[in-house]
């Protein structure tokens, strides 16, 4: 057996993560381009699960309920590895600004200048509107890239 397949087999058998496992683009994962055909709910969820498996340092999934058909409802949290380590601190800091009777303007300005912005992207609420879920896959795919622009965005935000 040549050395490369042997090393790959060894890594897989040990459960070691493969280095530089690039998250798949939507078309690569689905087998069709976004908008070419309807993407069923289970494939959208599977796509986000594939992103989370490929980049656990950048994206995590949270199941917050289910549809009346018992399909999982999820949201993704996408940010830098540094921000991921302090998500609870970020949540508390942002939450502390919700009541101006408890947080002074000066304190709120300090928090806003030091805390990553939290960006909530709601990609639709109607299951028969496919464009919103497909847009979510495209945005998530872009935020999985490892380039300077994305790194800069994710250092300053929790999406």
């Amino acid at each position: 057996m040549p050395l490369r397949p042997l090393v790959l087999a060894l890594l897989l058998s040990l459960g070691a993560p493969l280095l530089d496992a690039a998250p798949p683009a939507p078309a690569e994962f689905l087998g069709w381009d976004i908008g070419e055909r309807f993407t069923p709910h289970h494939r959208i969820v599977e796509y986000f699960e594939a992103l989370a498996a490929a980049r656990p340092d950048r994206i995590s999934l949270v199941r917050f309920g289910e549809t009346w058909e018992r399909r999982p409802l999820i949201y993704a949290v996408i940010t830098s590895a540094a921000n991921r380590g302090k998500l609870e601190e970020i949540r508390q800091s942002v939450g502390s600004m919700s009541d101006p009777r408890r947080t002074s303007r000066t304190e709120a300005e300090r928090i806003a200048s030091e805390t990553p912005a939290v960006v909530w992207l709601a990609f639709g609420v109607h299951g028969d509107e496919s464009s919103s879920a497909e847009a979510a896959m495209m945005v998530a795919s872009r935020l999985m890239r490892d380039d300077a622009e994305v790194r800069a965005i994710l250092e300053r935000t929790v999406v």
Side-chain angles (χ1 to χ4, degrees), residues 51-92:
L51 294 180
R55 292 298 308 266
D57 62 320
R58 186 167 292 183
I59 180 173
S60 58
L61 303 180
V62 178
R63 183 176 176 161
F64 65 92
E66 59 184 33
T67 70
W68 66 274
E69 295 175 319
R70 301 202 184 277
R71 297 178 190 174
L73 293 171
I74 62 169
Y75 65 86
V77 178
I78 305 172
T79 193
S80 68
N83 288 339
R84 182 158 301 289
K86 54 185 182 173
L87 282 176
E88 181 57 24
E89 177 185 330
I90 293 168
R91 187 192 68 75
Q92 288 180 8

Side-chain angles (χ1 to χ4, degrees), residues 64-157:
F64 65 92
E66 59 184 33
T67 70
W68 66 274
E69 295 175 319
R70 301 202 184 277
R71 297 178 190 174
L73 293 171
I74 62 169
Y75 65 86
V77 178
I78 305 172
T79 193
S80 68
N83 288 339
R84 182 158 301 289
K86 54 185 182 173
L87 282 176
E88 181 57 24
E89 177 185 330
I90 293 168
R91 187 192 68 75
Q92 288 180 8
S93 292
V94 171
S96 72
M97 294 192 305
S98 66
D99 188 347
R101 296 170 297 180
R102 293 184 176 187
T103 306
S104 70
R105 180 180 185 92
T106 303
E107 180 65 6
E109 288 173 353
R110 183 195 63 76
I111 291 168
S113 70
E114 296 175 359
T115 305
V118 176
V119 180
W120 180 268
L121 301 174
F123 286 99
V125 296
H126 302 114
D128 63 345
E129 295 173 355
S130 62
S131 62
S132 56
E134 292 181 344
M137 290 189 290
M138 293 179 72
V139 169
S141 174
R142 176 67 179 109
L143 293 176
M144 292 301 103
R145 292 186 193 163
D146 195 24
D147 61 43
E149 180 182 35
V150 170
R151 283 191 304 273
I153 290 168
L154 296 181
E155 288 169 7
R156 296 187 315 262
T157 61

